[in-house]
Amino acid sequence: MTIHVFMFLTAVSVLRRHVGRFRLIILLFAASVCWPVPGHADEQQTQRVYRVAIDREYAPYEFVDMHGQAQGYTPSLLRALGEQAGVQFEFIAMNWPDALASLRAGRVDIVNMIVTPERAAEFQFSAPHSRIAQALFRNENRKNITSLDTLTGHVVALQEGDVSLDRLADRADFTRYIVDSKLDGLLHLNLDKVDAFFCAQQVCVRAISEYDFRNVELAAGGLFLQGYAFAARKENQPLIALLNQQLAHIHLSGQLQELEAQWLHGQLVQPSWLYRNRAVLSLLAATLLLGMVLLWNVSLRRLVNVRTKRLQESERHLVQSQRIAQIGSWTYDMDHHITWSDEMYRIFGVSPDTFTLNAESFISLIHPDDQAAMRSWVERCMSGQKPPALVFRRVWPDGTVHYIEGQGELLLNDDGTPGLMSGTGQDITGREETENRLRDSMRQLENKELAKTRFLAAAGHDLRQPLAAANMFLFALRSTSTSPQQEEIIRQMTHSMEAFKGLLDALLKVSRLDSGMIKPEYHTISVNEILIWLEQNFAVMAAEKRLGFRLYFSMKETLFVRSDVGLLKSVLSNLVANAIKFTARGAIMISARARGGDVLFQVWDTGAGIPEEHVEHVFDEFYQLGNPQRDRTSGLGLGLAIVKRTLTLLGGEVSCRSRPGRGTVFAFRLPQAESATVVASELPQAHGYSDSFAQGRTFVVLEDDHLVASATTTMLEGMGGRVICFSSAEQALLYADIGQADYYIVDFMLGGALDGIQFLIRLRQELTAPVKAVLVTGDTSGHFIHESAGFDWPVHYKPVDVQALFASLSAQGH
């Protein structure tokens, strides 16, 4: 080792005389690259990384191998603990004094060390993961040193910050020689510069063998056996708790014993030939690089000249680019000195010849209302934060207001202290004016959409009121004695009212879908229940046309989708009704199957089919095949448009495949869900009622619309019933015999403070008998449909199907 050092120093002296100082620096840098000094391991990005200081030469406990990787007992143990706890440890190689200083300063989180009372008072220790003994080593010429008691009068090497300083603190009978590391102490001992060295036994024994310190031998071993544990700062108690928990687990699993056997009780690994001769190889590499430096000397000078010219050209391009993009650059140092590029002066409308730039003059250029924000932004940058870009105003001397966007970042010195702030300023006046105009346009558009939404909400309710009244009057008229001619007129009027209701429902639904009034309320829905509901509602309709009606779904498992139950029923109802309407013979099939992470819904029919050139248009509004005269018996041409809009709202897409003469299939997908909270999709089935249902019975009608209330009263009285009508819930609750009625027909939206469902709940609390009632409403929003699913009384939507209303009341008993 001494010969290697001498050869290297001789070569450096010769090279300095022949190649000069600058080239020698380049040579030494290149040689250092070739020197096999371990480096840091590549950092892995994990959720939590703890920094661990390790000794480069503390094998077998911790060391850095030829590839720069942390190895040894404690790194392997920490990696095993990290795998169990879901954290990662970053190993940083440093000498022992630096490790202690870094732990105290918080630059690292963990250091492995021997547990002593002094250290326990300063740091928080984990449970010991191993035990380590100290030993006394001597130069082979100091045979008289056999124990600690024989150190009197000798020169003893002790490592800075090591436990040996504490152990021998009260000894004044020998001379202390403080070294930086264990290798330093062994090297001094091997060169006979000190008489003895006190250090960790197993570590030094391994180092003596690895570095071939032939003049060093063990004088006394097995001294001061103590626990070896992980140390952290006192405030890092959660980390120590995590390590203790995982140490307990790894001890029980036997993995700790395996690591001890691998690293602490195994055979010493002999250094490779390359490692033992690294100094000679480095010197040879340095000589080779010296020749390369001499050969590249001329090329290097030419390269410097070329790069200098390019740098000057880049500076010119930068100035030109800043002027074109209206972006300037600036710096601000810790002494409050500011520098601006030429473009920054132009952005602020001042001249570098007449404007004195400093912190106060800069603030004075900013609009008074923005100065406080600028000061706060600069303070945040100077504190190391990275605040977002700041937009502020600058009023030019001509009175024009300019908007400027500033960005900045704090640059740190090599020692981590604040060094310099740098950033950019850009004139964004044009962009800001455009954004202001856009915001004004968006506000106007939002106001228009809000007005449209209010109109549709009012129209959806108000248009249904006269329609509901007309429907009631028609039913009352049907109950009177009429001639055949009058019956035909009533039938035609009923048909017209149904067509008008269908057109109104379709138009309002399209408008509400386009305006965003319909908001899906997602729940987990049973697909099987949805299909059974379709069979209950459409199988009879198919049978009337002598069509088969089939369902295809798995009976082995129940599929679930995440969707809005009301909107999903609307989509499937439209598709199934269309399939039945346009199929003359054959069958209808509805299928639901799992496909990847979705559920694929398909509605098949054996109808006439759709020509290929018309398939892409069937989802357009009012588009119908074979109905140029707009015969309303063939529909309105809005059903598939509603299907497309509804599925878009649900995040799906409908497709159509058809073969003329063979049939058509409509399909769409919805995300499959787990079987969690299931929304029941089965609707209550209607019961029959007799024509004399109302005869002799008392009905309470709560309706704030006079026309609808009059129509309902006329209808019920025409059927032989007795009617008591109220316009508000509060008025009805004041009526003494309010609880004596047989049935209650209650509008949900009333004029008072209480709505219909609140009235029924209040009435049920006052009565002992069940309240037989139905709720009627013109509110068909998705929110209300979902809310009404939890009501204890059936809900009917205006214009009410009178027969269904009576059936609901009859089903509650007489």
Side-chain angles (χ1 to χ4, degrees):
M1 181 67 182
T2 306
I3 295 175
H4 295 163
V5 174
F6 176 78
M7 291 174 62
F8 180 77
L9 294 177
T10 302
V12 169
S13 177
V14 172
L15 291 174
R16 188 173 183 274
R17 289 195 299 270
H18 290 279
V19 303
R21 180 177 300 175
F22 174 73
R23 295 174 188 166
L24 179 61
I25 293 174
I26 296 177
L27 175 62
L28 293 177
F29 172 77
S32 67
V33 173
C34 296
W35 192 283
V37 178
H40 295 291
D42 293 337
E43 295 184 0
Q44 303 290 330
Q45 297 296 327
T46 58
Q47 292 182 346
R48 184 64 191 270
V49 178
Y50 292 104
R51 295 158 298 176
V52 183
I54 65 167
D55 197 323
R56 291 180 181 274
E57 304 286 353
Y58 205 72
Y61 290 94
E62 53 194 37
F63 61 94
V64 178
D65 64 13
M66 291 287 293
H67 305 290
Q69 301 296 319
Q71 299 293 349
Y73 171 70
T74 50
S76 299
L77 177 58
L78 283 173
R79 290 188 184 106
L81 297 178
E83 289 179 1
Q84 291 190 150
V87 299
Q88 186 178 351
F89 297 97
E90 175 190 1
F91 300 101
I92 304 172
M94 59 181 68
N95 60 35
W96 176 245
D98 289 344
L100 282 177
S102 297
L103 181 60
R104 292 185 177 108
R107 293 189 293 270
V108 297
D109 301 303
I110 300 173
V111 174
N112 290 288
M113 63 175 71
I114 297 171
V115 182
T116 66
E118 294 80 5
R119 293 174 178 176
E122 181 179 2
F123 303 114
Q124 187 73 35
F125 280 92
S126 70
H129 52 70
S130 59
R131 298 181 69 80
I132 188 168
Q134 302 296 310
L136 183 63
F137 294 88
R138 67 190 179 193
N139 184 277
E140 63 177 356
N141 298 323
R142 305 292 185 272
K143 301 293 186 181
N144 60 329
I145 298 178
T146 57
S147 66
L148 293 177
D149 296 334
T150 61
L151 292 178
T152 302
H154 290 285
V155 178
V156 181
L158 300 174
Q159 184 181 350
E160 181 181 356
D162 190 65
V163 68
S164 59
L165 292 175
D166 298 332
R167 288 296 183 182
L168 303 177
D170 57 345
R171 295 282 299 272
D173 56 338
F174 60 84
T175 302
R176 288 170 171 77
Y177 187 88
I178 306 301
V179 296
D180 293 332
S181 66
K182 289 177 174 55
L183 283 181
D184 193 16
L186 291 173
L187 180 61
H188 279 71
L189 189 60
N190 190 62
L191 296 176
D192 202 16
K193 293 183 178 182
V194 296
D195 301 327
F197 180 40
F198 188 74
C199 65
Q201 179 173 338
Q202 193 167 4
V203 175
C204 288
V205 167
R206 189 182 185 105
I208 291 168
S209 173
E210 184 174 350
Y211 290 94
D212 196 19
F213 291 131
R214 300 182 180 181
N215 299 328
V216 179
E217 60 187 18
L218 180 65
L223 306 176
F224 308 125
L225 185 65
Q226 294 173 286
Y228 197 43
F230 300 118
R233 294 181 302 281
K234 287 288 187 179
E235 61 269 19
N236 214 350
Q237 175 62 33
L239 173 58
I240 295 300
L242 173 68
L243 293 174
N244 283 335
Q245 180 183 13
Q246 301 306 323
L247 279 170
H249 291 168
I250 205 170
H251 179 76
L252 291 175
S253 66
Q255 192 174 0
L256 183 64
Q257 292 78 3
E258 294 177 1
L259 291 174
E260 290 177 348
Q262 176 185 353
W263 292 104
L264 303 183
H265 307 309
Q267 295 295 325
L268 295 178
V269 178
Q270 296 298 326
S272 64
W273 180 87
L274 288 175
Y275 193 78
R276 292 196 304 271
N277 297 278
R278 63 187 183 278
V280 175
L281 294 176
S282 297
L283 185 60
L284 292 176
T287 305
L288 178 61
L289 286 174
L290 173 60
M292 295 175 63
V293 168
L294 295 176
L295 291 175
W296 290 345
N297 183 39
V298 176
S299 299
L300 181 60
R301 289 184 178 180
R302 290 178 180 176
L303 180 61
V304 169
N305 293 333
V306 171
R307 292 292 174 85
T308 301
K309 291 180 180 179
R310 288 181 180 176
L311 180 59
Q312 294 171 347
E313 188 68 20
S314 297
E315 290 178 352
R316 288 194 294 271
H317 289 165
L318 176 61
V319 172
Q320 183 179 10
S321 300
Q322 287 188 352
R323 184 174 64 254
I324 295 174
Q326 296 183 325
I327 299 178
S329 57
W330 54 266
T331 62
Y332 181 57
D333 61 23
M334 297 299 103
D335 296 326
H336 308 293
H337 295 150
I338 304 177
T339 59
W340 277 2
S341 67
D342 293 341
E343 187 61 19
M344 283 294 291
Y345 284 98
R346 193 205 64 77
I347 290 173
F348 278 85
V350 295
S351 170
D353 298 330
T354 59
F355 180 71
T356 302
L357 180 60
N358 54 53
E360 291 303 320
S361 62
F362 163 66
I363 291 294
S364 67
L365 295 177
I366 299 174
H367 192 286
D369 294 342
D370 297 338
Q371 291 179 4
M374 172 57 72
R375 287 192 174 94
S376 174
W377 184 79
V378 172
E379 289 175 359
R380 293 174 63 189
C381 288
M382 295 295 286
S383 65
Q385 302 181 42
K386 293 184 179 180
L390 176 67
V391 176
F392 56 94
R393 291 165 291 175
R394 154 68 176 152
V395 181
W396 275 25
D398 60 3
T400 58
V401 178
H402 288 249
Y403 289 86
I404 302 173
E405 182 181 72
Q407 300 192 59
E409 184 177 2
L410 178 66
L411 304 178
L412 301 179
N413 296 321
D414 293 339
D415 59 358
T417 58
L420 183 74
M421 265 188 66
S422 67
T424 60
Q426 181 178 14
D427 191 332
I428 60 168
T429 304
R431 187 182 78 186
E432 192 70 20
E433 291 174 348
T434 302
E435 290 178 354
N436 288 336
R437 289 193 295 270
L438 179 60
R439 281 191 288 268
D440 292 339
S441 300
M442 290 298 295
R443 280 194 294 269
Q444 295 175 8
L445 181 61
E446 289 173 358
N447 291 335
K448 291 179 181 179
E449 287 296 326
L450 181 60
K452 179 181 178 181
T453 300
R454 290 172 178 170
F455 167 76
L456 290 173
H461 181 269
D462 296 345
L463 290 177
R464 291 178 184 274
Q465 295 291 76
L467 188 61
N471 200 44
M472 293 288 190
F473 281 126
L474 275 176
F475 193 87
L477 184 60
R478 195 182 300 120
S479 302
T480 62
S481 298
T482 56
S483 65
Q485 184 179 7
Q486 290 173 327
E487 290 179 356
E488 177 61 21
I489 293 173
I490 293 173
R491 189 184 68 80
Q492 293 294 338
M493 288 180 65
T494 302
H495 181 72
S496 298
M497 294 295 293
E498 291 175 351
F500 177 59
K501 176 181 178 297
L503 177 60
L504 176 63
D505 287 343
L507 288 173
L508 287 176
K509 188 161 189 177
V510 169
S511 298
R512 290 166 63 225
L513 284 168
D514 287 342
S515 65
M517 287 180 61
I518 298 179
K519 303 295 183 183
E521 297 192 6
Y522 291 94
H523 298 277
T524 303
I525 306 167
S526 168
V527 174
N528 294 12
E529 290 186 14
I530 287 286
L531 296 184
I532 292 172
W533 176 82
L534 287 172
E535 183 179 43
Q536 293 171 345
N537 285 270
F538 290 97
V540 174
M541 186 186 303
E544 289 176 352
K545 293 187 66 175
R546 296 186 178 181
L547 299 174
F549 191 90
R550 305 188 182 107
L551 301 177
Y552 181 83
F553 60 92
S554 174
M555 299 297 293
K556 296 180 180 179
E557 62 174 344
T558 301
L559 296 177
F560 298 90
V561 292
R562 187 72 176 170
S563 187
D564 184 297
V565 61
L567 296 178
L568 178 56
K569 287 180 180 179
S570 172
V571 168
L572 289 170
S573 296
N574 265 307
L575 294 177
V576 175
N578 269 2
I580 294 174
K581 182 187 298 182
F582 297 108
T583 301
R585 61 180 179 274
I588 309 298
M589 184 176 74
I590 303 99
S591 67
R593 292 169 288 174
R595 288 291 182 271
D598 299 328
V599 174
L600 173 64
F601 292 88
Q602 292 177 307
V603 178
W604 306 74
D605 67 55
T606 58
I610 304 171
E612 183 177 356
E613 64 271 17
H614 293 285
V615 169
E616 61 178 325
H617 300 294
V618 295
F619 297 104
D620 297 341
E621 296 90 343
F622 304 107
Y623 190 86
Q624 291 180 303
L625 295 177
N627 188 21
Q629 291 79 24
R630 307 299 301 170
D631 179 11
R632 295 303 177 198
T633 60
S634 298
L636 301 171
L638 288 173
L640 291 179
I642 292 174
V643 166
K644 181 178 180 180
R645 283 171 166 81
T646 304
L647 284 173
T648 300
L649 187 64
L650 294 174
E653 184 177 356
V654 63
S655 63
C656 173
R657 292 185 290 113
S658 184
R659 293 180 62 182
R662 299 292 298 273
T664 305
V665 56
F666 289 89
F668 63 91
R669 292 171 178 257
L670 290 177
Q672 188 173 357
E674 299 294 333
S675 55
T677 305
V678 181
V679 175
S681 58
E682 181 174 327
L683 293 178
Q685 301 300 306
H687 294 74
Y689 72 98
S690 64
D691 294 337
S692 60
F693 167 71
Q695 187 70 38
R697 303 194 181 279
T698 301
F699 295 84
V700 169
V701 176
L702 263 71
E703 174 62 64
D704 61 346
D705 187 282
H706 177 72
L707 188 60
V708 176
S710 176
T712 306
T713 301
T714 301
M715 176 190 68
L716 292 172
E717 289 179 345
M719 297 176 66
R722 175 174 174 262
V723 181
I724 306 172
C725 194
F726 301 97
S727 61
S728 69
E730 290 81 1
Q731 181 186 7
L733 290 172
L734 292 176
Y735 182 63
D737 295 331
I738 188 63
Q740 303 303 315
D742 296 297
Y743 299 104
Y744 300 83
I745 301 175
V746 183
D747 187 13
F748 179 75
M749 298 176 64
L750 298 171
L754 299 177
D755 57 29
I757 189 63
Q758 290 171 335
F759 164 76
L760 290 176
I761 293 173
R762 183 82 63 84
L763 182 62
R764 182 171 60 183
Q765 292 172 349
E766 295 179 1
L767 302 178
T768 57
V771 177
K772 303 168 186 176
V774 293
L775 283 162
V776 294
T777 183
D779 186 357
T780 57
S781 66
H783 173 75
F784 177 78
I785 291 174
H786 173 67
E787 181 183 8
S788 63
F791 291 172
D792 293 335
W793 293 274
V795 179
H796 292 263
Y797 297 93
K798 297 178 181 179
V800 174
D801 183 335
V802 178
Q803 293 180 346
L805 184 143
F806 287 160
S808 294
L809 289 173
S810 177
Q812 298 179 50
H814 297 292

